[in-house]
């Protein structure tokens, strides 16, 4: 029997199909947001071990012999890393962090599993974080909104992928103040490839949007650093805005930055007044950039232009 591609796309872009897809993607994002930073940290420690064991590199870079005991530290660190259980996005299977109970398939159903368990582990009754169902539900609602924005056209699936990547990057940045290259760079390239294939913007707009997005925050970073001696943001913010420019075009960058700055400042002040922001810490900018990008996507260029007084 021939596969009905058009029928499958129609089912996926139906509001119910998009809601179910969003629940499943949201469930995966919960895993991604938790494990990707841990995988990155393990990789960094493995690189530290390699550097500590490289006596020739130490001599070349610093001009002195490596201190005694450095090779032993490298060996100990390498053994510690080798003794850790394998960690990837697929393995190990999901378990309760409190008692180690292996989560059964019906307990892991997006949103329904959490509701059925009433937010508690079936083995030890420890509470399951509310963020898990919130991420799943928010992703489902976001996918349905994107489907409505594009009238159920197949291109809505492309924008759902864009939105899912932004949501995952935002949650990781909020938790760790890191914006992984493994999310921002594929998002940037996907925007350029989509433009080259004629699925979104003209390629020239996508390219200059990426360039303008990166250089705008890069310039602000260096201006702030040269005048204050401090770093106001990380390089991940440059790459994220470059990705937004590749998807939305250069004309949408100013509204995204303005909206993100205003909301970010308001949230930061609120957290400071409420005692949630400790001295020396800062509010990550990535979630607000991503939020501005999603608002621009759902509003559309014409409405954003009216908000800015350009039309």
């Amino acid at each position: 029997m021939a596969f009905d591609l058009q029928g499958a796309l129609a089912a996926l872009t139906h509001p119910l199909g998009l809601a179910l897809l969003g629940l499943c993607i949201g469930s995966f994002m919960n895993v991604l947001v938790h494990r990707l930073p841990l995988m990155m940290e393990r990789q960094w420690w493995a690189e530290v071990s390699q550097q500590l064991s490289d006596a020739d590199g130490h001599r070349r870079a610093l001009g002195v012999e490596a201190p005694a005991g450095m090779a032993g530290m490298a060996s100990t660190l390498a053994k510690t890393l080798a003794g850790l259980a394998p960690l990837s996005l697929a393995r190990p299977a999901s378990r309760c962090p409190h008692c180690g109970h292996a989560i059964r398939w019906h307990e892991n159903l997006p949103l329904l599993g959490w509701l059925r368990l009433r937010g508690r582990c079936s083995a030890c009754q420890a509470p399951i974080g509310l963020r898990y169902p919130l991420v799943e539900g928010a992703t489902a609602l976001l996918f349905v909104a994107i489907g409505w924005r594009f009238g159920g056209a197949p291109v809505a699936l492309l924008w759902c992928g864009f939105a899912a990547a932004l949501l995952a990057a935002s949650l990781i940045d909020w938790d760790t103040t890191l914006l992984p290259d493994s999310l921002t760079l594929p998002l940037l390239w996907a925007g350029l490839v989509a433009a080259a294939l004629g699925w979104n913007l003209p390629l020239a707009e996508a390219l200059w949007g990426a360039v303008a997005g990166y250089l705008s925050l890069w310039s602000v970073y260096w201006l702030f650093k040269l005048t204050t001696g401090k770093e106001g943001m990380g390089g991940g913010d440059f790459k994220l805005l470059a990705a937004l420019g590749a998807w939305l075009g250069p004309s949408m960058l100013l509204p995204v930055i303005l909206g993100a700055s205003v909301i970010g400042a308001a949230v930061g002040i609120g957290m400071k007044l409420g005692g949630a922001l400790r001295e020396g810490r800062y509010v990550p900018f990535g979630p607000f950039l991503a939020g501005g990008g999603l608002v621009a996507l759902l509003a559309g260029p014409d409405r954003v232009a009216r908000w800015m007084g350009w039309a």
Side-chain angles (χ1 to χ4, degrees):
M1 185 173 64
F3 177 69
D4 185 2
L5 178 60
Q6 289 187 339
L9 288 176
L12 273 177
T13 53
H14 185 275
L16 179 58
L18 288 172
L20 292 175
L21 179 64
L23 287 174
C24 295
I25 296 296
S27 181
F28 171 74
M29 282 201 301
N30 279 321
V31 176
L32 175 70
V33 169
H34 173 68
R35 294 190 182 185
L36 183 57
L38 296 177
M39 293 162 57
M40 293 168 59
E41 290 180 1
R42 287 194 185 187
Q43 178 61 37
W44 294 336
W45 281 114
E47 292 171 359
V48 168
S49 175
Q50 293 173 1
Q51 290 294 323
L52 289 174
S53 63
D54 185 5
D56 292 337
H58 189 281
R59 190 183 305 111
R60 286 194 305 269
L62 303 181
V64 295
E65 294 295 330
M70 185 173 287
M73 294 170 58
S75 177
T76 300
L77 181 55
K79 290 179 181 177
T80 301
L81 290 169
L84 295 175
L87 179 66
S88 70
L89 296 180
R91 296 186 179 277
S94 298
R95 295 180 177 272
C96 172
H98 300 280
C99 69
H101 164 69
I103 299 176
R104 304 181 183 92
W105 69 268
H106 55 84
E107 297 174 338
N108 212 22
L109 290 173
L111 194 57
L112 295 178
W114 189 90
L115 292 172
R116 181 175 177 274
L117 293 171
R118 298 181 181 178
R120 292 189 175 275
C121 172
S122 62
C124 68
Q125 296 302 303
I128 302 172
L130 183 61
R131 191 167 91 169
Y132 293 105
L134 287 179
V135 169
E136 293 165 355
T139 308
L141 291 174
L142 187 57
F143 279 23
V144 171
I146 290 172
W148 171 81
R149 162 74 173 80
F150 290 96
V155 75
L157 296 174
L158 183 70
W159 286 104
C160 285
F162 166 79
L166 287 183
L167 184 54
S170 299
L171 292 170
I172 291 175
D173 195 23
W174 186 263
D175 289 344
T176 66
T177 67
L178 297 171
L179 278 170
D181 285 351
S182 53
L183 290 179
T184 56
L185 295 183
L187 185 62
L188 167 61
W189 284 108
L192 294 175
V193 170
L197 294 173
W199 294 346
N200 185 23
L201 304 170
L203 180 57
E205 283 191 38
L207 176 61
W208 288 113
V211 171
Y214 189 92
L215 289 181
S216 58
L217 289 189
W218 179 87
S219 302
V220 171
Y221 166 86
W222 278 107
L223 179 62
F224 184 81
K225 186 172 183 178
L226 292 174
T227 55
T228 67
K230 301 177 181 178
E231 296 186 2
M233 66 181 68
D237 295 318
F238 315 159
K239 299 167 192 173
L240 179 59
L241 191 59
L244 290 173
W247 282 87
L248 300 173
S251 63
M252 300 290 265
L253 291 175
L254 181 58
V256 167
I257 293 174
L258 289 176
S261 299
V262 171
I263 298 173
V267 170
I269 293 171
M271 293 177 65
K272 184 73 173 178
L273 294 176
L277 187 63
R278 298 192 301 273
E279 193 66 32
R281 300 295 299 272
Y282 59 90
V283 178
F285 195 40
F288 304 107
L289 285 175
L294 291 175
V295 170
L297 164 64
L298 294 175
D302 294 339
R303 185 173 298 173
V304 171
R306 290 197 297 271
W307 290 346
M308 297 294 293
W310 296 339

